[in-house]
Amino acid sequence: MAGEPSRKDVVDRHDDADRRRTIVSIAEANRASADAWLARGAQAWRTALEPLTHEQRETFVETLRTYEREASAEHGDA
């Protein structure tokens, strides 16, 4: 997945001592652009979650975690 962005110098790849994985990070030359792009989403989440109580936020986060777990689970009911 990181091959093409790495070839285009968008990301930096670092081989880990454990050869089963590679650490990928945003290349320094692209960090400001990536931070600006991600900041818009982060601000939108802050705005959306701000009116909720602590308990409501916990419920919302747990709902997202449950959805993600179920959406990515391999079920034998095809």
Side-chain angles (χ1 to χ4, degrees):
M1 274 175 62
E4 185 68 20
S6 179
R7 284 190 289 280
K8 293 184 177 186
D9 296 323
V10 173
V11 298
D12 293 324
R13 293 172 63 160
H14 308 280
D15 291 330
D16 193 324
D18 179 348
R19 302 292 292 170
R20 295 174 290 178
R21 69 179 186 175
T22 298
I23 298 171
V24 178
S25 60
I26 302 295
E28 193 59 42
N30 298 306
R31 190 163 309 255
S33 295
D35 286 347
W37 177 66
L38 292 171
R40 289 189 297 269
Q43 183 56 49
W45 277 115
R46 278 192 290 279
T47 300
L49 296 173
E50 192 275 329
L52 302 180
T53 66
H54 178 74
E55 291 78 17
Q56 289 171 324
R57 288 182 196 141
E58 284 182 342
T59 299
F60 177 76
V61 169
E62 187 55 36
T63 299
L64 289 178
R65 286 181 178 150
T66 300
Y67 171 82
E68 181 61 27
R69 186 173 53 251
E70 291 299 313
S72 65
E74 291 190 30
H75 296 290
D77 348 322

